[in-house]
């Protein structure tokens, strides 16, 4: 190959490289422009007022107005689901699902707006958590919102009904119950849905006068939860 051919090939390669680079830069700038336009349409400007934590907020902690401040952030630096200053109500009064660090924008995906069951305990009742297992808790098919009867068995084989129709507020496998998809460890249950076998504790809403009795029975591992049928007059 003579010198002229090598020079011609070099020129062609250089032109192709320049074209590829130009195409890359064009696509990048177009994508950037589209993203900037999307953010502008969404937030109404290149900067936006967002809610930011002014201290560390722990998982499960209820977010107060004093834990939130407002800062102006560039739209391009924000996560996909920021809580704007105009949406402060989406954060205040709800709980953090993960730790939120000082100076970090609040995100709707990290805020749990699910009502806390313990907030609904009426006057004269108490929330109490007792250990249990699938055998003593309807094969693991118990779930929040159900009303159950609480029984106690004695060492002599006697059975005593401690309290009737108490509400289940929470349990260790509540989220698993809602999202069960038929994986190992689940089974179809008579009460609907799928039974999760890993249940370890349950929180009940108990009349105050029955609390000590149930605590004493639970400390000996003798508490059983039963689900009454419609024929029992419920």
């Amino acid at each position: 190959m003579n010198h002229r051919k090598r020079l011609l090939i070099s020129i062609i390669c250089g032109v192709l490289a320049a074209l590829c680079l130009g195409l890359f830069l064009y696509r990048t700038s177009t994508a950037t422009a589209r993203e900037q336009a999307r953010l502008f349409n969404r937030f109404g400007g290149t900067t936006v007022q967002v809610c930011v934590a002014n201290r560390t907020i722990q998982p499960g902690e209820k977010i107060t107005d004093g834990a939130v401040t407002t800062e102006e952030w560039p739209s391009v630096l924000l996560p996909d689901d920021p809580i704007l200053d105009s949406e402060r109500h989406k954060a205040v009064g709800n709980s953090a699902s993960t730790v939120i660090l000082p100076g970090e924008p609040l995100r709707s995906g990290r805020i749990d707006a699910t009502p806390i069951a313990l907030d609904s305990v009426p006057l004269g009742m108490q929330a109490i958590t007792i250990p249990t297992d699938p055998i003593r808790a309807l094969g693991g098919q118990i779930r929040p919102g159900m009303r159950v009867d609480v029984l106690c068995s004695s060492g002599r084989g006697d059975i005593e009904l401690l309290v009737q129709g108490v509400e289940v507020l929470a349990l260790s496998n509540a989220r698993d119950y809602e999202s069960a998809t038929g994986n190992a460890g689940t089974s179809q249950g008579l009460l609907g849905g799928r039974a999760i076998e890993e249940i370890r504790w349950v929180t009940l809403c108990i009349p105050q006068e029955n609390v000590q009795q149930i605590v004493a029975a639970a400390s000996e591992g003798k508490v059983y939860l039963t689900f009454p049928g419609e024929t029992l007059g419920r």
Side-chain angles (χ1 to χ4, degrees), residues 84-202:
L84 307 183
D85 182 48
S86 59
E87 303 172 326
R88 180 181 289 248
H89 62 278
K90 293 183 178 180
V92 176
N94 293 321
S95 301
S97 57
T98 62
V99 63
I100 304 175
L101 300 177
E104 182 178 354
L106 302 186
R107 302 175 53 181
S108 57
R110 301 176 69 178
I111 304 297
D112 186 3
T114 304
I116 300 175
L118 299 185
D119 288 345
S120 61
V121 176
L123 185 66
M125 307 290 283
Q126 289 190 16
I128 177 174
T129 299
I130 60 174
T132 189
D133 55 44
I135 293 177
R136 292 182 292 163
L138 304 173
Q141 297 173 54
I142 192 170
R143 58 190 182 274
M146 289 176 57
R147 289 191 173 272
V148 298
D149 295 344
V150 183
L151 284 76
C152 172
S153 65
S154 68
R156 301 185 303 273
D158 299 329
I159 303 297
E160 180 183 0
L161 178 62
L162 301 181
V163 64
Q164 290 181 289
V166 296
E167 183 180 359
V168 178
L169 297 179
L171 60 151
S172 58
N173 63 352
R175 291 186 178 180
D176 291 336
Y177 189 98
E178 298 297 332
S179 60
T181 56
N183 296 328
T186 68
S187 60
Q188 189 68 34
L190 296 176
L191 302 180
R194 294 186 177 273
I196 309 299
E197 303 300 337
E198 296 82 5
I199 184 171
R200 299 183 305 277
W201 52 261
V202 60

Side-chain angles (χ1 to χ4, degrees), residues 16-95:
L16 290 176
L19 289 175
C20 290
L21 178 61
L23 180 61
F24 171 77
L25 293 176
Y26 171 76
R27 288 183 174 178
T28 301
S29 61
T30 302
T32 301
R34 285 200 301 266
E35 179 64 15
Q36 289 177 344
R38 183 185 71 85
L39 294 173
F40 185 89
N41 290 333
R42 179 181 179 188
F43 298 119
T46 56
T47 61
V48 62
Q49 298 283 332
V50 296
C51 293
V52 176
N54 59 20
R55 61 172 177 80
T56 300
I57 302 175
Q58 299 296 335
E61 178 182 348
K62 182 174 289 189
I63 300 173
T64 63
D65 193 63
V68 180
T69 187
T70 301
E71 292 184 4
E72 188 167 335
W73 274 58
S75 301
V76 294
L77 298 182
L78 290 174
D80 291 334
D81 55 349
I83 295 181
L84 307 183
D85 182 48
S86 59
E87 303 172 326
R88 180 181 289 248
H89 62 278
K90 293 183 178 180
V92 176
N94 293 321
S95 301

Side-chain angles (χ1 to χ4, degrees), residues 149 164 226-234:
D149 295 344
Q164 290 181 289
T226 65
F227 185 76
E230 295 181 359
T231 58
L232 296 184
R234 295 297 175 87

